[in-house]
Amino acid sequence: MTTDHQDTDTTILDTDVLVVGAGPAGLMLATELRLGGAEVVVVDQRPGPTTESRASTLHARTMEILDSRGLLDELGTPPCEPRGHFGGVPLDLTLPSSHPGQWKVAQTRTEELLQRRAAELGAVLRRRHQLLSLTAEDGVEAEAIGPYGPVRIRARYLVGCDGEDSTVRRLVRAPFPGRDAARELLRADVFGVEVADRRFQRLEHGLAIAATREGVTRVMVHEFGRPAAERGGAEPDFAEVTDVWKRVTGEDISQGTPLWVNAFGDANRQLAHYRHGRVLFAGDAAHRQMPSGGQALNLGVQDAFNLGWKLAAVVRGSAGEDLLDTYHSERHTVGRQVLANIRAQVELLLGGPEVEPARALLTELVALDGVRQHLAGMISGLGIRYDVEGPEIHSDEHPLLGRRLPDAWLEPTEGGARRRTTELLRTGRGLLLSLDGDGAPALRATAAPWSDRVAFVADRPAAGGPLPAGQTLLVRPDGYVAWAGSGPAGLARALTRWFGTLAADD
């Protein structure tokens, strides 16, 4: 368990995993680590959850993730918009999902929700703690300064979730290739102005966006040809926003009261490696991109969801460290794809008249359903497919292999009420889902040595649903199908790959 004691004037904390950063990625990671049985300490410089909801969109896959952990009831029913965009070109995001479209949830609310769950599960959260140094050899030792003095934290692993200007990344000197910002959008939440809502309105001199909710208007503006400013970490002042807004739209918003102001550029960088020995990275600490279409927050939460169960298994000793290498291979690939689509969107959004032919062509292409589904799958996270087999496992190709388990109704074979597949993931364990009653005994026997980490369920799929009758699916704790078959062949190898050595050998 996490221990806390004093050594002279220094507080000493001993834990399994130190998470630096209590944004959505760090808090999601903390909940998954605790669900998997790892002790975790989270440190963050801020006094509490953000009060500036700069990210306000949860995409379908993130909503599915929250649902699979029983977190959606607290959110109620947030507003949902079925249509998003790709580089400002309208795009229907509806795909088969329990939560299609994009859901409007303030980042403040997301952080509060995840912080509460992390605390309920026993994560230790230390606010107002600034990381100063770290060393990582056989374990990790980190030094921080808190409100009551120095703190030393000893952990087996450390995960940097501390944002695009990551202190962890700087201390590790992790290569972060890519490009700096050349263009930027100015953004502000403003009270007391009346301007028409604008959805990616391209005017003669620039791009203008405005939306008013509950008396607060969010404005974003880019002046064509205007380069990103050298700000040295400082935010723009409101006068700069009002000046650019007036030059682009002709409107005066200077009488409004700014709640917050910032600028975000089109920098595009990604860590060469998400793992550096005992130090790993997730969220904006691992990749820096323009937050086009709300993808940044969602990408970070999904990083954490992929990493949490794997790191917990390694800490428990039920899996070897090679499981952590699959975190890099899976999420680095996804991150690279997202950064590429954001680069394309930036050109369409911030380019001047020269990009109009490309925008016109894309507008025609998204009318083709195959194109629309491909782009919607990238943005929503629903199109992800991991390489789950590896070189040592070769099975017949299955349409669900490497994809998320669909939300579907199941009919119990031994009586009881119908239930959803999503409900079976709530414990954070793996799942062996037999949809073929005849083969269940052999499958159950094969999986028995892993029963401490993989639940066995034998149900029938509801008629007309997305699940194939007569098949069995091995599902990872993050909801992705790791093996599929009609008999036990290959199952033991897949169980070993994803859930470690046999329980009897632990």
Side-chain angles (χ1 to χ4, degrees):
M1 61 180 294
T2 298
T3 59
D4 181 344
H5 61 278
Q6 291 289 132
D7 180 7
T8 64
D9 295 327
T10 301
T11 299
I12 309 294
L13 291 171
D14 290 281
T15 192
D16 291 328
V17 182
L18 170 60
V19 176
V20 181
L27 293 170
M28 183 81 248
L29 180 61
T31 66
E32 290 300 291
L33 287 166
R34 288 298 302 134
L35 202 59
E39 298 296 331
V40 58
V41 171
V42 184
V43 297
D44 192 281
Q45 296 185 61
R46 300 174 303 164
T50 182
T51 58
E52 300 176 356
S53 289
R54 301 183 180 188
S56 59
T57 297
L58 297 182
H59 284 296
R61 180 56 191 150
T62 301
M63 291 291 284
E64 290 179 351
I65 285 171
L66 297 178
D67 191 14
S68 73
R69 295 300 187 254
L71 287 165
L72 285 188
D73 286 347
E74 289 189 54
L75 283 184
T77 307
C80 178
E81 297 179 3
R83 292 178 67 81
H85 73 95
F86 189 92
V89 175
L91 178 67
D92 182 355
L93 293 174
T94 54
L95 292 172
S97 169
S98 57
H99 295 85
Q102 53 181 3
W103 300 77
K104 295 304 176 182
V105 180
Q107 183 174 336
T108 300
R109 186 73 185 93
T110 301
E111 290 190 15
E112 290 172 347
L113 175 72
L114 293 173
Q115 178 176 310
R116 186 177 303 113
R117 176 55 60 90
E120 290 171 354
L121 292 172
V124 175
L125 175 58
R126 294 294 183 98
R127 295 281 187 182
R128 299 186 178 90
H129 279 61
Q130 181 180 1
L131 182 69
L132 301 177
S133 66
L134 69 89
T135 58
E137 294 178 2
D138 295 335
V140 175
E141 280 213 12
E143 300 284 344
I145 186 70
Y148 303 109
V151 179
R152 181 184 306 156
I153 306 168
R154 298 183 296 218
R156 296 174 62 185
Y157 293 89
L158 180 149
V159 186
C161 299
D162 51 341
E164 59 183 25
D165 297 319
S166 169
T167 298
V168 176
R169 195 178 61 228
R170 174 176 55 80
L171 292 173
V172 173
R173 297 182 180 178
F176 197 42
R179 67 183 192 187
D180 292 329
R183 295 167 291 190
E184 66 182 1
L185 269 168
L186 301 177
R187 177 170 59 173
D189 273 6
V190 188
F191 180 77
V193 296
E194 294 185 7
V195 296
D197 281 1
R198 290 179 166 90
R199 185 173 176 82
F200 305 105
Q201 185 178 27
R202 292 175 62 83
L203 300 165
E204 180 181 359
H205 299 295
L207 172 73
I209 304 163
T212 300
R213 290 189 179 91
E214 299 179 353
V216 176
T217 301
R218 175 164 296 181
V219 296
M220 291 186 278
V221 62
H222 169 72
E223 188 174 13
F224 292 148
R226 188 173 190 261
E230 292 290 340
R231 302 189 181 278
E235 301 291 9
D237 57 34
F238 186 51
E240 182 179 355
V241 177
T242 62
D243 288 347
V244 176
W245 183 266
K246 188 167 187 177
R247 288 200 298 270
V248 171
T249 68
E251 297 172 346
D252 184 2
I253 60 171
S254 61
Q255 75 280 6
T257 301
L259 304 182
W260 57 266
V261 177
N262 81 329
F264 56 93
D266 61 348
N268 199 276
R269 292 184 176 276
Q270 184 181 26
L271 281 175
H273 300 283
Y274 282 15
R275 181 187 177 198
H276 289 252
R278 292 184 174 270
V279 178
L280 300 102
F281 295 88
D284 287 348
H287 36 75
R288 183 172 187 172
Q289 63 285 307
M290 191 172 178
S292 180
Q295 291 183 89
L297 181 148
N298 292 268
L299 184 62
V301 168
Q302 292 168 38
D303 284 346
F305 201 60
N306 183 287
L307 175 59
W309 68 274
K310 296 175 180 178
L311 185 51
V314 172
V315 165
R316 290 197 319 266
S318 62
E321 288 201 1
D322 56 343
L323 185 61
L324 297 180
D325 294 331
T326 71
Y327 167 65
H328 167 80
S329 63
E330 291 180 349
R331 293 307 298 174
H332 192 275
T333 298
V334 171
R336 184 175 66 249
Q337 293 167 346
V338 171
L339 265 64
N341 92 53
I342 287 177
R343 284 198 305 270
Q345 292 195 63
V346 166
E347 295 304 318
L348 295 168
L349 272 173
L350 305 187
E354 72 279 1
V355 304
E356 290 303 329
R359 292 178 58 84
L361 177 60
L362 180 61
T363 301
E364 293 181 18
L365 290 175
V366 295
L368 304 175
D369 203 45
V371 174
R372 181 197 71 79
Q373 289 185 30
H374 179 71
L375 295 178
M378 283 197 303
I379 291 172
S380 65
L382 298 177
I384 293 171
R385 187 171 196 176
Y386 294 133
D387 178 9
V388 295
E389 291 195 295
E392 73 281 8
I393 301 177
H394 301 281
S395 69
D396 294 335
E397 184 70 7
H398 190 284
L400 288 178
L401 195 63
R403 296 192 183 278
R404 77 197 203 288
L405 178 69
D407 181 78
W409 285 101
L410 300 170
E411 305 284 355
T413 56
E414 300 178 356
R418 300 172 78 210
R419 52 186 170 179
R420 294 166 54 213
T421 52
T422 302
E423 297 170 21
L424 301 177
L425 300 173
R426 298 269 163 92
T427 63
R429 298 171 67 199
L431 170 67
L432 185 62
L433 177 60
S434 173
L435 303 170
D436 175 15
D438 293 338
L443 290 160
R444 184 191 294 270
T446 301
W450 288 270
S451 60
D452 63 327
R453 63 202 80 162
V454 178
F456 180 83
V457 174
D459 281 352
R460 294 185 302 272
L467 293 179
Q471 297 284 308
T472 297
L473 307 175
L474 177 64
V475 185
R476 306 187 321 188
D478 59 356
Y480 286 87
V481 177
W483 174 89
S486 56
L491 175 58
R493 286 178 295 174
L495 284 161
T496 301
R497 174 174 172 79
W498 294 109
F499 297 96
T501 54
L502 298 180
D505 296 333
D506 286 348

